Amino acid sequence: MAFILDTVRDLGRLREIAGVLARHGFGELLQRTGLGSFAPGKRSDQPQPKLAVRIRLVLEELGPSFIKLGQLMSTRPDLLPADVILELKRLQDNVPPLPFKDMKAAIEAELGAPIHTVFAAFEEEPLASASIGQVYRARLKCEEGEEAVVVKAQRPNIARTIDRDIDLLYTFARALERSIPEARPYMPVRLVGEFDRAIRAELDFAQEADNADRFAQNFSQLPTVRFPKVYREVSSQKVITLEYFEGKDVFVAVAQGASAERIAKNAVQVVVKMIFEHGFFHADPHPGNILILGTPEEPVLGLVDLGLVGRLSPRLRDRLIDLLIAASSRDSRMVADAMYAIGRPTKKIDRGAFEADVARLSDKYLGRKLEDVPFADLIRDLSSAALTYGIETPAELLMVGKAMMTVEGIARQIYPELDIVAEIKPYFADIVGYRYSPERLTSDLLHVAARFANAASEFPARADDILEDLRQGRMSAVVRQPTMARATERLGRRIFHGLFASSLVLGGSALSAASLPREGLAVLGLGVTWALASSLWLRLGQQNLDN
């Protein structure tokens, strides 16, 4: 029964989505994907705004899940045109707050206790309200007294709503790829998959707590940045209680006298260490997630909202460093090699054409002073070029580009004199030095040796398995020859035409011998003509195949 009710609700939501799409001028899209029946008579005849604006309006009208999807899509300039990206960046995840009584019931259910027994004070007016949850100020009862905290709680049933919308998004994405060939380069199913992983990470507050602890540990020796402490005893998968930062907005702090130079340099330092040293970084460091603590002379960055993070494997980190070294050296061929190593080819790559395109981008970006090179923009455009040639770049690379672009934009806005290259050069010198240090090379060599040792130890058992399969007759060899089917078909046609022409010639000869010269000559002539025509036709067909 529950399954039937869920199905009915899904169909109702699908009709709602189809109706919104039709109302904003996407009726043809619905028809081509086979979903037109869900929005009969909903097509709008009113003049429609530009495509990018209509996409944003659709996402806004469909609610929180789709707004989150649009925000994720705004980080994929390698897939979407610039005007669409610009419109998607306008999407705001601000929704009216739920009544406190509803949220109070959800919080108490998660904590397993009434709010007043856990907190000495709890403000009913939320600090912030978003699609996933709401944030409240409170004072936590502790053995030492009271602590100022913030409590972030998920909206009731939001996970179920998002699950339903994600299932429908997968359905729609698969229909797009199946029915509309021109949509396939944008990889709708892959994009929905990225959104699925990102939104589920944000829904898991226990994972956000782990992220906060890991960031705090990574930067325990750097006093210029702080991350909120997590109170695990009053946190769960749907409620998280964090230290309250009494900080200021970046731009407000600078306007009130905080050192813009120190804030800008600290921000660059932190993001470079996150990405290139730790391989674990804040994926959404926009101004709303950065608070300024400390004194005006010695400002400290307070980073919050740690649910969305990026991770770089050691291999991807090394390849990314290769890319930036190549860019710094203004070597377009090294840049192309680094992008090829970072990505995953999905088809045979025209390396010459790809390198030429990378050289063009290198001329555009690397022909200026090094400190003026926008490395985030370079990564974005290189990823777009790679995708054009069938090289899929990891989503993490785009997350790196977005994080770098966001922090660089904030830093330059408050301190235009900032020299990014001068700030990151010491860190890169240390990172590259460590990469080629005896300790690192020895570690890599030991890792390779261990893999060879494992393979060698497993070889006898695997060889025994192969020999046993051979003995039992369970092993077979399959030879694939892509041109065999075409060659066989061509041979069959030649045999058919040869036999038919020979039959006509023999039949004509027999008629002539039987005192029917006129009929025999006609059949004989038809046989010769058929032989000549078929020979010419087969020769032209072979030339076309060769071409």
Side-chain angles (χ1 to χ4, degrees):
M1 183 66 179
F3 171 76
I4 295 173
L5 290 175
D6 285 344
T7 303
V8 170
R9 278 194 290 267
D10 287 349
L11 288 174
R13 178 62 167 160
L14 187 57
R15 289 193 183 92
E16 180 186 355
I17 294 170
V20 171
L21 286 169
R23 192 159 55 251
H24 288 284
F26 293 99
E28 182 183 353
L29 182 69
L30 292 170
Q31 295 298 330
R32 293 182 65 182
T33 54
L35 300 174
S37 60
F38 288 97
K42 299 261 180 137
R43 181 170 179 172
S44 173
D45 295 325
Q46 298 297 321
Q48 297 287 351
K50 293 181 179 178
L51 174 64
V53 176
R54 286 189 283 136
I55 291 174
R56 175 177 59 80
L57 293 174
V58 165
L59 296 174
E60 284 179 338
E61 190 169 339
L62 289 176
S65 302
F66 289 83
I67 289 173
K68 285 283 186 183
L69 174 64
Q71 290 172 333
L72 173 72
M73 290 164 60
S74 72
T75 68
R76 299 306 305 266
D78 59 319
L79 294 178
L80 302 177
D83 60 331
V84 175
I85 295 292
L86 191 61
E87 282 295 324
L88 294 179
K89 285 182 177 179
R90 296 177 58 190
L91 289 168
Q92 297 296 316
D93 190 19
N94 297 323
V95 296
L98 284 178
F100 179 69
K101 63 180 181 64
D102 296 336
M103 295 302 298
K104 179 184 176 184
I107 294 169
E108 291 180 339
E110 279 296 306
L111 300 182
I115 280 180
H116 70 270
T117 64
V118 179
F119 299 96
F122 200 103
E123 295 184 3
E124 296 188 7
E125 190 67 26
L127 277 176
S129 175
S131 55
I132 288 179
Q134 295 177 190
V135 182
Y136 297 89
R137 282 196 66 178
R139 295 195 67 83
L140 180 66
K141 294 179 181 180
C142 301
E143 292 181 0
E144 301 81 8
E146 298 177 1
E147 294 282 353
V149 296
V150 292
V151 179
K152 181 160 72 169
Q154 284 184 24
R155 290 168 172 258
N157 300 319
I158 187 63
R160 186 182 303 172
T161 300
I162 289 175
D163 282 344
R164 179 194 62 186
D165 283 348
I166 287 174
D167 287 343
L168 293 175
L169 281 169
Y170 273 120
T171 299
F172 194 66
R174 284 190 284 267
L176 277 175
E177 289 196 0
R178 182 180 63 252
S179 308
I180 304 180
E182 54 267 35
R184 290 170 193 158
Y186 300 105
M187 298 180 288
V189 174
R190 179 182 168 187
L191 198 60
V192 173
E194 289 179 17
F195 168 66
D196 190 357
R197 289 188 294 274
I199 195 69
R200 292 190 193 283
E202 287 196 58
L203 284 170
D204 187 355
F205 288 175
Q207 184 171 324
E208 181 174 348
D210 292 341
N211 295 342
D213 287 344
R214 182 171 174 181
F215 278 125
Q217 182 179 0
N218 287 347
F219 287 92
S220 60
Q221 303 301 314
L222 191 66
T224 56
V225 63
R226 285 191 59 202
F227 301 89
K229 173 185 174 182
V230 181
Y231 294 88
R232 296 273 185 174
E233 65 276 11
V234 281
S235 297
S236 69
Q237 192 172 7
K238 296 182 179 180
V239 173
I240 184 170
T241 303
L242 302 162
E243 174 187 5
Y244 175 70
F245 279 168
E246 190 74 57
K248 299 175 182 176
D249 174 84
V250 174
F251 303 105
V252 171
V254 170
Q256 293 179 357
S259 173
E261 179 180 0
R262 286 185 176 274
I263 293 173
K265 291 182 176 181
N266 289 348
V268 172
Q269 177 189 21
V270 167
V271 77
V272 168
K273 287 180 74 68
M274 281 182 175
I275 293 170
F276 297 104
E277 186 175 331
H278 304 145
F280 181 75
F281 60 96
H282 196 313
D284 194 21
H286 63 75
N289 288 337
I290 303 174
L291 297 172
I292 305 302
L293 314 171
T295 64
E297 298 76 21
E298 298 291 338
V300 175
L301 302 178
L303 297 185
V304 299
D305 198 1
L306 307 174
L308 187 60
V309 298
R311 293 174 174 82
L312 297 180
S313 66
R315 178 187 175 279
L316 185 53
R317 243 183 296 167
D318 286 347
R319 299 290 83 78
L320 183 56
I321 291 169
D322 289 341
L323 174 62
L324 296 184
I325 290 173
S328 302
S329 306
R330 295 182 169 86
D331 188 328
S332 62
R333 188 161 188 175
M334 279 182 62
V335 171
D337 289 343
M339 283 302 300
Y340 188 82
I342 286 171
R344 183 179 69 86
T346 59
K347 61 181 181 181
K348 185 174 176 59
I349 308 300
D350 186 341
R351 288 293 295 268
F354 175 58
E355 289 178 6
D357 220 4
V358 170
R360 178 185 60 78
L361 287 173
S362 298
D363 290 341
K364 173 184 175 182
Y365 285 106
L366 305 181
R368 60 185 83 177
K369 290 182 180 180
L370 199 56
E371 60 268 22
D372 295 331
V373 174
F375 286 103
D377 292 347
L378 175 63
I379 290 174
R380 177 198 65 202
D381 287 354
L382 286 173
S383 298
S384 297
L387 187 63
T388 302
Y389 288 93
I391 303 173
E392 287 185 7
T393 52
E396 292 81 7
L397 183 65
L398 276 300
M399 294 174 76
V400 166
K402 181 192 174 188
M404 291 175 61
M405 186 185 303
T406 304
V407 170
E408 182 182 348
I410 297 170
R412 289 191 185 277
Q413 193 171 348
I414 62 174
Y415 185 61
E417 299 85 1
L418 180 70
D419 185 345
I420 296 286
V421 174
E423 293 304 315
I424 69 175
K425 190 176 292 184
Y427 299 103
F428 265 91
D430 291 342
I431 291 167
V432 174
Y434 170 70
R435 180 176 171 185
Y436 297 105
S437 67
E439 295 85 355
R440 169 68 187 273
L441 294 176
T442 302
S443 174
D444 289 348
L445 185 61
L446 288 174
H447 178 68
V448 171
R451 292 186 64 182
F452 272 114
N454 289 336
S457 65
E458 292 175 3
F459 178 76
R462 294 188 178 185
D464 284 344
D465 290 341
I466 293 172
L467 292 173
E468 181 63 18
D469 286 343
L470 282 172
R471 191 177 71 82
Q472 297 288 343
R474 292 194 298 261
M475 180 173 286
S476 61
V478 178
V479 179
R480 297 186 185 279
Q481 173 52 265
T483 59
M484 181 65 73
R486 185 181 296 173
T488 304
E489 181 185 3
R490 192 162 59 244
L491 178 62
R493 288 178 180 177
R494 287 179 176 177
I495 292 172
F496 166 75
H497 288 294
L499 289 174
F500 189 70
S502 300
S503 299
L504 290 174
V505 170
L506 291 174
S509 301
L511 288 172
S512 298
S515 302
L516 295 171
R518 182 178 299 175
E519 291 82 353
L521 188 61
V523 173
L524 188 64
L526 180 60
V528 172
T529 303
W530 183 275
L532 291 173
S534 60
S535 175
L536 179 62
W537 180 68
L538 289 170
R539 184 180 295 276
L540 290 174
Q542 179 63 41
Q543 288 178 353
N544 289 335
L545 287 173
D546 292 341
N547 291 332

